[in-house]
Amino acid sequence: MQRWIEACGAGQSPDDLEFRVILPDGSVRLLSGRGKLIYDTENRPPYMAGTVNDITDRKRAEEQLQASREQLRALTGRLHAVREEERTRIAREIHDELGGALTGMKVDVSFLIKSSEMIKNEAVKASLITGIDALNESIDATIQTVRRIAMELRPGVLDDLGLVAALEWQLKDFQKRTGIRSEFLHSAEDIGLDADLSTGLFRIFQEALTNVARHSDATEVHVRLHSEAGSFILEVEDNGKGIEKEKILGSRSLGLLGMRERALMFGGHVTVTGIPGIGTRVTVEIPPGEKGSMDRVRGGENG
Ligand SMILES: Nc1ncnc2c1ncn2[C@@H]1O[C@H](COP(=O)(O)OP(=O)(O)O)[C@@H](O)[C@H]1O
Ligand SMILES: [Mg+2]
């Protein structure tokens, strides 16, 4: 109460001044006061007028909301991680098991070709070889499909060669599939980030590209990867119609929300801007620091 009166006296606007009171039964309540001093003709404050609200329940609800937001965020992070582990496992299994079986078939086929050459009857030999060739081709096509499926589940290049190579590969594939001209600029030869951050950035990148293909009507996309004052920055810019303002934070924009949540896991953030007729830019910034980029950078600009 004293603080309130002092605040009023100091000429501050004491709106919503919060204070704690301890009731006779020992319980603590949070109050919010709002008031003003009334001055007499000699400019002295003879009394004050105002209201005091008990905001204990509102405060508690706010704290609970904040806590449940944090829990949701942690849950989302865990879901991403589990999903990524699962995808990696399935990709490996498909690659190793199916890939292995198909390679075995190739060996059998080459044995068949050799054996069939010993057949005396030319007509039988020719038709057999035609059949074997067709089989061989379909095995090759299946090997390609298996590779593609494994790659889409979890690009091995991300684990083997790192983020830069994976982004490059993804962008080339994107250009091939969509015909949208793509350019990739990066200021570091080999930015070796830790696996979680690489995966997070890669998935954000994939979502950004999917959006360009699906919504932008762009003919070009420019991707830049660089570090600035220790922060790690990834930009995807298209020359399409430009995202509408209300879509940027729209409740249905779950893809964009997912990008933000992923960046937030590393203390970073995503900025989306659109100019009608000029294009859309998605910028992901991961700051340095405890969970930030510099600890994670093995290579960096100088090495
Ligand atoms: N590159 C872009 N150019 C134009 N509009 C975009 C672009 N990216 C996103 N949008 C708009 O923002 C919306 C939300 O995107 P997103 O959250 O990824 O959801 P979704 O792709 O499932 O529709 C899209 O439906 C689209 O209207
Ligand atoms: Mg999307």
Side-chain angles (χ1 to χ4, degrees):
M1 189 53 78
Q2 189 61 37
R3 210 150 45 86
W4 192 20
I5 293 168
E6 277 166 14
C8 290
Q12 289 173 12
S13 163
D15 277 3
D16 288 334
L17 195 69
E18 289 177 10
F19 43 91
R20 257 165 23 121
V21 291
I22 302 172
L23 300 185
D25 69 357
S27 64
V28 177
R29 304 297 295 178
L30 272 170
L31 303 180
S32 158
R34 180 187 282 256
K36 59 178 185 208
L37 296 177
I38 311 285
Y39 294 89
D40 63 12
T41 47
E42 265 135 64
N43 218 19
R44 282 176 314 204
Y47 56 92
M48 62 186 293
T51 54
V52 175
N53 287 315
D54 186 334
I55 56 164
T56 316
D57 295 339
R58 195 189 84 200
K59 276 274 166 200
R60 268 193 204 133
E62 274 171 16
E63 279 163 19
Q64 274 167 3
L65 189 64
Q66 184 61 26
S68 84
R69 266 203 199 116
E70 271 158 29
Q71 274 177 334
L72 255 180
R73 198 152 278 154
L75 182 65
T76 310
R78 182 83 196 107
L79 275 176
H80 280 315
V82 169
R83 190 160 162 248
E84 209 61 55
E85 274 166 30
E86 190 71 358
R87 290 177 79 118
T88 307
R89 191 184 59 75
I90 296 171
R92 267 204 201 115
E93 211 146 288
I94 287 178
H95 181 270
D96 296 352
E97 296 290 327
L98 292 183
L102 287 163
T103 308
M105 284 184 204
K106 290 279 288 181
V107 174
D108 290 345
V109 162
S110 68
F111 176 74
L112 275 179
I113 292 173
K114 271 205 196 91
S115 313
S116 65
E117 263 149 22
M118 289 185 283
I119 291 173
K120 297 271 157 34
N121 186 324
E122 286 300 326
V124 173
K125 186 163 143 187
S127 85
L128 198 61
I129 286 181
T130 310
I132 294 173
D133 280 347
L135 184 62
N136 207 13
E137 266 168 36
S138 92
I139 293 174
D140 283 341
T142 312
I143 288 176
Q144 291 304 321
T145 308
V146 164
R147 277 209 190 115
R148 183 176 53 74
I149 293 172
M151 203 68 163
E152 276 168 9
L153 275 168
R154 169 82 192 178
V157 59
L158 188 58
D159 300 315
D160 303 338
L161 300 175
L163 182 66
V164 173
L167 296 182
E168 216 155 21
W169 165 78
Q170 182 72 68
L171 197 61
K172 274 207 190 105
D173 184 63
F174 172 80
Q175 177 167 296
K176 210 165 68 189
R177 277 186 295 111
T178 62
I180 297 174
R181 216 150 61 84
S182 310
E183 184 196 59
F184 182 38
L185 289 175
H186 57 96
S187 57
E189 252 319 301
D190 176 32
I191 306 172
L193 302 170
D194 99 357
D196 289 344
L197 181 56
S198 294
T199 303
L201 284 168
F202 185 76
R203 295 300 181 202
I204 292 175
F205 181 66
Q206 280 185 317
E207 174 61 30
L209 285 187
T210 306
N211 279 350
V212 173
R214 227 193 251 163
H215 308 296
S216 75
D217 296 329
T219 56
E220 278 180 31
V221 58
H222 295 265
V223 179
R224 275 179 295 272
L225 183 68
H226 57 107
S227 55
E228 206 174 283
S231 284
F232 196 71
I233 297 164
L234 174 66
E235 269 173 6
V236 179
E237 194 178 332
D238 68 53
N239 68 344
K241 63 184 181 196
I243 185 169
E244 294 157 38
K245 262 214 172 70
E246 58 274 17
K247 295 277 171 69
I248 295 174
L249 291 172
S251 58
R252 290 196 198 171
S253 302
L254 295 181
L256 296 177
L257 179 68
M259 289 186 193
R260 285 199 194 89
E261 290 292 328
R262 279 195 195 268
L264 209 62
M265 282 195 279
F266 307 101
H269 59 92
V270 175
T271 323
V272 182
T273 51
I275 305 174
I278 302 287
T280 302
R281 183 196 290 166
V282 175
T283 309
V284 190
E285 192 175 337
I286 308 290
E290 215 190 317
K291 292 204 86 188
S293 56
M294 287 321 271
D295 295 342
R296 298 161 176 277
V297 174
R298 291 199 304 266
E301 246 127 324
N302 301 319

